[in-house]
Amino acid sequence: MEILTLTPEQYGQFLDESKMAYNFMQSEPFVNYMKDHDDVEIYGGAENGKLLYALPVIFRPAMKLFKYASSLREWVAASPELLQDEKRLQEFVSGVSAKLKQKKAIVWLVESNIEYQQHDRNGNVLEDGFHNEDYRNLLNRIGFEKGHLWRGYDESRQSRWVSWIDLQKNMPETSHGYPMALDNGLEEYTWQELLKEMAGNTRRSFQKTDLPYIVTVRKDGTEDFDLTDFDELLEASAEKHHFGVGSKEHRKDLVRSFGKHGYVSTAYLDVEAYENFLNEKEAEFTAKEQAAMEVCEKMPNSKKKRNQLLEIQEQKTHNEKEIAALAELRQSEPRKRIPLASGIFLETPSEMIYLFGGSNPALARYMGPYANQKEMIRLALEHGLQRYNFWGISGNFEPEEEGYGVYFFKKNLGATVGEYCGEFYLILNNVFGKLFLDKVRPDRKQA
């Protein structure tokens, strides 16, 4: 097998021609984004002039004098069968390893894009589902050490546990955890079918986002977008859930790199529209109350009519509380449109990824996160994608465990649990590579 160094354009052409699903970190826009911030090479494996595999590799400093190589998600293959072709994979990995040594890399870290085992939405392993320990063993046979199958959040690695909604029917049974061809013939779900799989309170929350005072604004990376509202909401969420917010400029660069497939979607409370809505409801409830009182005067012994009056009065009281709450909100918030929730979304030919997001916890009653999710799930369905990917969760599924709240929110949206095969290490320098791995991956011997 001939090992080639590809340009981003050649890599993008390979992705287009292969018509295979791939992770957003394997995409041409993401590679271009990484090349602006890191030393990145793209390697291809060809036979008889035809590319079979392609792989982006990032080089970063290690132990001052050396580098380590990292592939955030592994190689893309020209067909599903090539992902399990041990002979060709061995040739490709050996050839790439030689290239990495020439760059003075002492170790190669690869994070898998193959699912490990099938789970349900509660995090339970399905007994009759797929289990890909054989793939981990295959990588071990071609030279990689198998990494520890960790749970929890780890900022030094990409998410091993994720949460997603399958947008095409029978995906797990067809894919067995491997990337599939984009033109796989599977039937797409409808929005109404997805709604039926969601928790009852989630369906009601989505219904509330149809009200005229909840406005969602979506812009893509080709437009003049502003991340001010997004950053404000991300910081509000970070403060509540105790996580870092990262680089503002890097987020903007990432959206721009994805162009028309990078999105910033923000849900707002339109204050004037909300005030008009509440005033109209107040007039409606006042008229209904007056009419119901007149009926009760004519029929004083009707328990049914008295109950109807009480129900109207309860609705009217609730509406008056909303009017008072809005008046109080306007004193502290002068904006005509108040940001409720915002997210950054990236699209590949197979997935819509909800990568970053934030919301204002004090305004959760207006269902901003649900407005955002509905906007983007429906867009993913319109584009015929395979999955709507909520990205990282902790892999913990008990209420007292780290990250349970994030998982539970996504579960109620109908998401199931995905688990990747983890991280693999190929030592390129027996002395310094092992020393470096012992330092950065002290848990690797638990594998």
Side-chain angles (χ1 to χ4, degrees):
M1 183 178 294
E2 184 182 6
I3 303 301
L4 308 172
T5 300
L6 307 178
T7 66
E9 293 74 22
Q10 289 171 324
Y11 179 63
Q13 183 178 355
F14 170 73
L15 295 180
D16 291 342
E17 291 176 353
S18 71
K19 299 197 181 307
M20 283 283 291
Y22 51 84
N23 189 280
F24 80 94
M25 285 183 285
Q26 297 169 313
S27 68
E28 182 187 357
F30 189 80
V31 171
N32 284 325
Y33 161 76
M34 292 303 298
K35 284 179 76 71
D36 288 338
H37 300 92
D38 284 290
D39 178 11
V40 178
E41 295 284 2
I42 309 168
Y43 299 108
E47 282 186 358
N48 302 318
K50 182 181 178 182
L51 275 175
L52 302 183
Y53 302 98
L55 170 80
V57 180
I58 303 166
F59 295 91
R60 290 178 174 143
M63 302 175 68
K64 296 183 180 180
L65 297 176
F66 303 101
K67 297 177 183 178
Y68 76 94
S70 173
S71 296
L72 303 182
R73 286 291 182 254
E74 60 210 343
W75 37 84
V76 180
S79 70
E81 297 75 24
L82 286 167
L83 290 167
Q84 299 179 69
D85 188 326
E86 186 170 339
K87 179 178 179 295
R88 285 191 170 97
L89 278 175
Q90 176 73 76
E91 292 175 0
F92 178 63
V93 166
S94 296
V96 172
S97 297
K99 295 282 189 180
L100 304 185
K101 288 178 182 178
Q102 290 173 9
K103 294 268 290 186
K104 295 187 177 180
I106 57 176
V107 70
W108 182 16
L109 280 62
V110 174
E111 296 184 63
S112 182
N113 193 41
I114 309 300
E115 295 170 53
Y116 181 55
Q117 56 189 346
Q118 191 176 349
H119 296 261
D120 63 20
R121 63 185 54 183
N122 294 315
N124 300 316
V125 176
L126 295 181
E127 291 184 7
D128 57 348
F130 61 77
H131 185 89
N132 287 324
E133 183 65 25
D134 284 348
Y135 184 74
R136 282 168 53 82
N137 291 334
L138 185 158
L139 293 194
N140 188 230
R141 289 194 299 273
I142 65 175
F144 288 95
E145 287 187 25
K146 295 190 288 187
H148 171 55
L149 294 173
W150 74 92
R151 292 178 186 263
Y153 298 118
D154 185 342
E155 293 186 1
S156 69
R157 296 182 265 212
Q158 301 305 314
S159 298
R160 196 176 83 80
W161 293 87
V162 294
S163 188
W164 53 46
I165 298 173
D166 287 335
L167 303 180
Q168 294 180 342
K169 298 178 181 179
N170 302 315
M171 270 197 64
E173 295 81 3
T174 306
S175 71
H176 300 288
Y178 287 83
M180 288 195 300
L182 298 173
D183 52 350
N184 54 50
L186 298 180
E187 182 185 355
E188 196 91 359
Y189 282 104
T190 66
W191 170 246
Q192 291 302 321
E193 287 174 326
L194 293 181
L195 274 177
K196 290 178 183 178
E197 297 300 314
M198 299 179 188
N201 61 339
T202 299
R203 289 195 296 272
R204 290 189 291 274
S205 296
F206 275 125
Q207 289 170 354
K208 291 178 182 178
T209 67
D210 291 328
L211 294 167
Y213 53 83
I214 304 298
V215 179
T216 305
V217 177
R218 184 184 78 231
K219 291 199 172 185
D220 66 42
T222 67
E223 299 177 275
D224 183 18
F225 65 91
D226 186 345
L227 290 183
T228 302
D229 292 340
F230 171 86
D231 289 333
E232 173 190 321
L233 294 163
L234 181 66
E235 287 167 6
S237 289
E239 184 177 347
K240 179 180 179 181
H241 297 292
H242 310 293
F243 62 83
V245 298
S247 166
K248 296 179 182 181
E249 285 306 311
H250 280 209
R251 287 192 289 273
K252 184 170 284 189
D253 291 345
L254 184 57
V255 175
R256 283 186 179 134
S257 72
F258 271 77
K260 65 180 181 179
H261 299 301
Y263 307 98
V264 181
S265 180
T266 306
Y268 294 90
L269 174 67
D270 186 316
V271 175
E272 185 175 337
Y274 187 41
E275 185 175 43
N276 291 339
F277 176 85
L278 292 176
N279 288 338
E280 288 172 7
K281 285 292 182 183
E282 183 64 18
E284 178 187 334
F285 290 139
T286 298
K288 285 182 176 180
E289 182 185 37
Q290 183 62 37
M293 289 175 68
E294 290 174 1
V295 171
C296 285
E297 287 177 4
K298 294 176 183 178
M299 305 172 64
N301 296 323
S302 173
K303 183 177 180 181
K304 179 180 177 181
K305 298 300 180 183
R306 286 200 308 274
N307 287 339
Q308 287 176 347
L309 173 60
L310 287 173
E311 184 179 346
I312 292 168
Q313 288 175 333
E314 286 176 2
Q315 291 173 328
K316 187 172 185 293
T317 299
H318 174 75
N319 195 65
E320 288 167 349
K321 288 180 180 177
E322 291 295 310
I323 291 173
L326 179 59
E328 184 178 344
L329 178 61
R330 295 190 77 165
Q331 290 180 358
S332 60
E333 177 54 83
R335 287 176 286 187
K336 293 181 179 179
R337 280 188 176 180
I338 302 173
L340 303 173
S342 187
I344 288 176
F345 302 81
L346 306 176
E347 182 181 348
T348 73
S350 59
E351 288 188 324
M352 182 73 75
I353 298 93
Y354 173 45
L355 190 60
F356 303 114
S359 63
N360 186 340
L363 301 178
R365 62 205 286 190
Y366 300 116
M367 306 300 166
Y370 294 93
N372 249 348
Q373 297 301 332
K374 182 177 71 174
E375 171 79 8
M376 300 309 296
I377 292 172
R378 295 180 76 162
L379 182 66
L381 288 172
E382 287 174 21
H383 290 184
L385 304 183
Q386 292 178 356
R387 274 180 170 149
Y388 185 85
N389 196 334
F390 292 100
W391 204 230
I393 56 175
S394 66
N396 296 320
F397 308 110
E398 298 298 329
E400 68 277 4
E401 292 181 315
E402 175 197 31
Y404 178 82
V406 172
Y407 149 73
F408 187 73
F409 170 75
K410 296 172 181 179
K411 170 190 170 183
N412 281 349
L413 287 164
T416 191
V417 170
E419 179 189 7
Y420 287 115
C421 279
E423 194 175 46
F424 298 84
Y425 319 114
L426 201 155
I427 294 173
L428 305 171
N429 180 308
N430 281 331
V431 176
F432 295 108
K434 289 178 180 178
L435 286 173
F436 177 75
L437 274 183
D438 287 342
K439 180 180 178 181
V440 300
R441 294 292 184 264
D443 63 356
R444 70 188 177 98
K445 295 180 181 176
Q446 299 177 34

